[in-house]
Amino acid sequence: MDFIASLQAAIESITANKLRSALTVLGIVIGVGAVIAMLAIGRGAQDSIAGSIEGIGTNLLFVMRGDSQNQVRNPQPLTMDDAAALSDVFQAPSVINVAPLLQGSATVSARGESTTTTLNGITSEHEAVRGWSVSEGEFINSSHLLGRSAVVLLGTAVADDLFGRHDGLVGETVRINGQPFRVIGILAERGTGGFSNENDTVMVPLTTAQARLLQRSTPRSVDVILVQAVDADAVPQASEQVANILRTRHRTALGADDFTIINQQDFLDTAASITGVLTIFLGGIAAISLLVGGIGIMNIMLVSVIERTREIGLRKALGARKRDILFQFLAESSLLSLIGGILGITLGWLISVGVGAIAAAANADIVPKIGIDSVLLATLFSMAVGLFFGLYPANQAANLQPVEALRYE
Amino acid sequence: MAERVVEARHLSKVYQMGDVEVHALRGLSLDINRGEAMAIMGPSGSGKSTLMNILGCLDRPSAGSYHLDGESVANLDDDQLADIRNRKVGFVFQTFNLLRRTSALENVELPLRYAGVGAGRRQRAIAALEAVGLGERLDHRPNELSGGQQQRVAIARALVNEPAIIMADEPTGNLDSKAGADIMKLLLKLNRQDGKTLIIVTHDSDVAEQTDRIVLIRDGQVEADRKLGRSKKIASKGK
Ligand SMILES: Nc1ncnc2c1ncn2[C@@H]1O[C@H](COP(=O)(O)OP(=O)(O)OP(=O)(O)O)[C@@H](O)[C@H]1O
Ligand SMILES: [Mg+2]
């Protein structure tokens, strides 16, 4: 029996019971749609998180106080002097930029408006390391740092809160924790993805913050030192050089570093593994519904075999071999599931677009991404479901004895 | 000596119904020559259909040997039997057994499809339908045809693979007497003109009288085997 004829018989049987076929297909549609949508959303979340980590800068190391297990007692704070030492081209040739940071929160007010926001004490290196720039005015420079100037850069969100706009504000005065600061620039607006809104921030010279706003127990201490390597390949060497310098400076015992160096790649890897688990989890739940759809197909195929017992008997009487009958019923079940798969991909795409729109409206910048691989996976998987769950009924049909089948009422 | 198409020896068929064994055939032997037109008669339950199913390779005997068109059928598997049915036997059923949703032409094409005939399939199916006088009804579906016409489609389907033997189990049983007579005329014409070997199971002695030979079956055995005088032997004619 030729392939076309089996396919034709399968199509006939599917169209003969349109409602029944539609309901059977629906199970697969929902299953495939759910798998596609879940994988797309998972991938979108992954991209969004990776994007925001990469948005921090490139080839970065984060140096923090204390070891990661909190085993070393009395870790020394990181200081401006540590940061200066890391900039030594001879001891740390793989390092191109060092940007110490002091971070806390502060209340900023102007003209009776007031807002609480993130306060960053920064140096001029942050412009290069973090890719910050100003949309008007100027960035914090070394003379501001030397002079511990009372100057501030406003993020657009803070500017909007205080002034209702974020332009033409250079020269205005705001109060940070009650102390007057002169606005020297507005930070260029950044995307709002990731963990926090980077537009909701103010920046002052690090020295000013140490002296007047974020006092720590050790006067010249900083919270984090951002270290930028010369290029991606130099990141491991830079990490090693930074570690050696700090070990010498802090006189730590062997294997008892009182600082932690985190590679930007570590962040990416951790985030990827978390979202990966999440994606597999969501996809797995969706796959269960695909399985349920497959059982629906099996059910309908069994009914179909029983209904068509006489037809099968006749076909056998006319010379159909087992594989002819097997193929006819497998064609029917895989066609059903293939139709379901194609409609399911469309449904999954619609769900993804919908979720993307909702996310965009909620300012979370997750863009669900349907990969060719997940489309292929869903198509193949649904075909496989059709074949697998069609196999038993088709086998039942193929093994019918012609006399008994013809006698069947 | 005429060539034998059917050579059945000591056929028996036992059905197991729970604890009870039903002996549908009890050591029945039967020879049929090529080109013969034969009627099988007998009371209900005597084993006529059981015999036909075995002769048509739809079923296997419990014991005994059977050669169809020179081939021993005893030890063939299901697919080989399917192949024999496809090549050597044309079935005509009491209930027509046409596929409901397909046209007359496609119904007739079906045995050719299973035979793997690609080229010329349509032409052969059309020729078979024309031979039974349905050249004008190619695209009609079974429910658009009368009972007699449906049985003609079934006969065309039985003919299309040019089988050695045509087997009809009560072919007129579901037809009125006029349509039944037409179907008989057609079957006998295939025998007389084209030399097709014909086996008909019937309860109607008028039908049986038109053939060359009547075999009477009772309790799974041949009770009488009567050659009708007017048979002019055309056995070696045809293929
Ligand atoms: N599948 C079966 N299982 C059990 N017994 C069967 C089966 N098929 C036939 N028989 C029995 O075998 C015997 C012969 O049946 P068969 O159908 O051959 O009779 P028949 O001569 O064709 O009768 P009718 O003229 O009514 O068609 C009957 O007693 C019947 O009950
Ligand atoms: Mg019968």
Side-chain angles (χ1 to χ4, degrees):
Chain A
M1 176 96 151
D2 44 311
F3 179 75
I4 308 279
S6 294
L7 215 57
Q8 216 174 346
I11 292 169
E12 253 157 38
S13 157
I14 288 170
T15 48
N17 278 298
K18 289 197 187 62
L19 180 62
R20 193 167 88 180
S21 303
L23 290 174
T24 311
V25 161
L26 193 61
I28 297 292
V29 172
I30 291 171
V32 170
V35 169
I36 291 273
M38 290 308 150
L39 293 183
I41 292 164
R43 190 165 305 190
Q46 202 158 342
D47 287 355
S48 162
I49 292 170
S52 64
I53 291 174
E54 279 157 2
I56 295 172
T58 48
N59 310 328
L60 294 188
L61 297 169
F62 304 84
V63 186
M64 280 171 277
R65 179 190 187 187
D67 64 317
S68 56
Q69 264 89 45
N70 273 326
Q71 305 245 318
V72 176
R73 294 191 178 279
N74 303 322
Q76 295 180 43
L78 297 167
T79 64
M80 296 291 276
D81 302 322
D82 288 328
L86 298 182
S87 317
D88 184 332
V89 277
F90 297 106
Q91 288 196 62
S94 299
V95 172
I96 189 171
N97 268 314
V98 177
L101 171 70
L102 203 57
Q103 197 170 53
S105 77
T107 304
V108 186
S109 57
R111 297 182 182 174
E113 300 288 339
S114 153
T115 180
T116 301
T117 183
T118 311
L119 174 73
N120 287 298
I122 64 164
T123 63
S124 54
E125 282 85 3
H126 277 263
E127 190 169 15
V129 172
R130 296 284 331 267
W132 286 109
S133 60
V134 288
S135 59
E136 64 179 43
E138 54 169 341
F139 205 75
I140 289 167
N141 60 33
S142 44
S143 66
H144 295 135
L145 282 154
L146 277 175
R148 297 180 186 173
S149 311
V151 295
V152 64
L153 295 169
L154 298 183
T156 51
V158 175
D160 287 340
D161 281 351
L162 298 179
F163 297 98
R165 61 194 155 93
H166 51 265
D167 46 20
L169 295 174
V170 173
E172 295 277 350
T173 299
V174 299
R175 286 179 179 274
I176 303 177
N177 291 354
Q179 304 170 40
F181 278 75
R182 186 167 54 86
V183 176
I184 57 165
I186 302 295
L187 292 164
E189 190 153 9
R190 287 209 174 194
T192 54
F195 311 109
S196 61
N197 183 351
E198 289 199 309
N199 299 315
D200 186 8
T201 187
V202 295
M203 301 199 174
V204 298
L206 178 59
T207 49
T208 316
Q210 283 171 333
R212 295 162 61 179
L213 294 170
L214 301 169
Q215 273 101 357
R216 303 286 193 246
S217 47
T218 312
R220 284 170 60 74
S221 76
V222 298
D223 295 337
V224 185
I225 303 174
L226 279 72
V227 177
Q228 188 170 34
V230 288
D231 57 39
D233 295 336
V235 172
Q237 286 112 282
S239 176
E240 202 44 47
Q241 290 156 9
V242 167
N244 283 332
I245 292 168
L246 291 178
R247 279 177 199 131
T248 316
R249 287 184 55 81
H250 290 192
R251 296 194 191 88
T252 56
L254 204 65
D257 291 348
D258 63 351
F259 55 89
T260 308
I261 301 172
I262 298 173
N263 189 328
Q264 194 177 10
Q265 192 58 42
D266 297 342
F267 275 141
L268 283 172
D269 292 348
T270 310
S273 75
I274 291 171
T275 50
V277 167
L278 195 76
T279 306
I280 289 169
F281 177 70
L282 291 176
I285 289 177
I288 290 173
S289 65
L290 188 52
L291 206 67
V292 173
I295 294 169
I297 287 201
M298 177 141 146
N299 187 22
I300 265 337
M301 291 307 296
L302 283 172
V303 172
S304 175
V305 168
I306 290 169
E307 277 181 350
R308 286 151 69 196
T309 301
R310 274 184 79 93
E311 176 194 323
I312 295 162
L314 171 73
R315 287 178 182 273
K316 291 200 147 197
L318 298 181
R321 283 150 301 181
K322 279 185 185 172
R323 64 165 178 275
D324 295 323
I325 303 294
L326 195 71
F327 190 74
Q328 179 185 335
F329 281 89
L330 282 184
E332 182 173 337
S333 65
S334 33
L335 201 62
L336 277 175
S337 59
L338 185 65
I339 293 170
I342 289 166
L343 293 178
I345 289 168
T346 316
L347 178 71
W349 178 74
L350 287 175
I351 293 174
S352 303
V353 170
V355 168
I358 292 168
N363 257 339
D365 114 271
I366 293 180
V367 182
K369 222 180 249 160
I370 298 180
I372 283 291
D373 51 349
S374 63
V375 169
L376 273 178
L377 187 79
T379 313
L380 288 179
F381 197 41
S382 64
M383 282 281 277
V385 161
L387 279 177
F388 179 76
F389 287 102
L391 200 58
Y392 177 71
N395 216 33
Q396 297 277 91
N399 284 323
L400 283 174
Q401 286 303 311
V403 181
E404 279 151 41
L406 277 171
R407 198 196 293 267
Y408 185 85
E409 295 301 325
Chain B
M1 180 78 198
E3 189 190 349
R4 285 201 180 125
V5 178
V6 165
E7 205 176 282
R9 290 285 173 279
H10 312 295
L11 292 182
S12 67
K13 181 76 187 178
V14 184
Y15 292 107
Q16 193 73 42
M17 297 287 287
D19 291 342
V20 191
E21 285 188 345
V22 181
H23 292 262
L25 296 180
R26 302 166 190 264
L28 182 148
S29 296
L30 187 67
D31 292 333
I32 301 171
N33 291 331
R34 192 179 295 286
E36 230 176 343
M38 191 189 83
I40 297 176
M41 298 192 73
S44 186
S46 57
K48 303 183 295 295
S49 295
T50 305
L51 175 62
M52 282 291 261
N53 289 337
I54 291 171
L55 295 184
C57 298
L58 282 170
D59 207 353
R60 293 190 179 84
S62 308
S65 74
Y66 174 37
H67 286 76
L68 171 61
D69 202 21
E71 264 182 81
S72 172
V73 177
N75 297 316
L76 301 183
D77 68 20
D78 287 354
D79 282 353
Q80 289 167 320
L81 283 182
D83 196 45
I84 295 265
R85 289 194 294 272
N86 183 258
R87 286 187 292 117
K88 296 194 187 286
V89 188
F91 290 101
V92 179
F93 302 94
Q94 180 175 359
T95 50
F96 320 139
N97 277 337
L98 300 174
L99 294 184
R100 280 182 298 134
R101 290 187 296 272
T102 41
S103 69
L105 186 60
E106 283 171 88
N107 266 289
V108 175
E109 275 185 73
L110 209 51
L112 294 173
R113 284 188 188 281
Y114 288 123
V117 175
R121 186 172 66 213
R122 181 133 299 203
Q123 286 71 12
R124 280 171 68 179
I126 292 172
L129 278 164
E130 278 167 352
V132 299
L134 283 179
E136 311 288 299
R137 298 278 195 281
L138 301 180
D139 294 326
H140 286 235
R141 294 184 173 201
N143 60 5
E144 297 160 350
L145 295 169
S146 74
Q149 287 169 331
Q150 288 184 54
Q151 195 62 302
R152 281 165 189 270
V153 174
I155 292 170
R157 184 180 64 191
L159 282 176
V160 74
N161 253 1
E162 293 171 6
I165 190 164
I166 290 180
M167 300 195 172
D169 194 345
E170 301 187 41
T172 60
N174 275 17
L175 299 173
D176 63 34
S177 51
K178 167 77 174 64
D182 286 348
I183 289 299
M184 268 316 292
K185 220 181 273 171
L186 176 61
L187 286 171
L188 287 168
K189 190 185 110 189
L190 292 171
N191 170 257
R192 305 268 188 263
Q193 285 188 2
D194 306 336
K196 295 278 177 220
T197 311
L198 185 66
I199 309 178
I200 299 176
V201 171
T202 182
H203 285 288
D204 185 338
S205 48
D206 290 345
V207 166
E209 292 294 340
Q210 298 173 52
T211 64
D212 308 331
R213 176 183 173 196
I214 298 176
V215 171
L216 187 65
I217 297 203
R218 191 181 295 276
D219 290 335
Q221 286 171 318
V222 176
E223 195 185 59
D225 188 344
R226 182 160 60 96
K227 293 238 165 31
L228 299 181
R230 25 147 269 192
S231 81
K232 316 166 195 76
K233 280 291 163 207
I234 45 169
S236 50
K237 208 191 133 196
K239 48 166 279 186

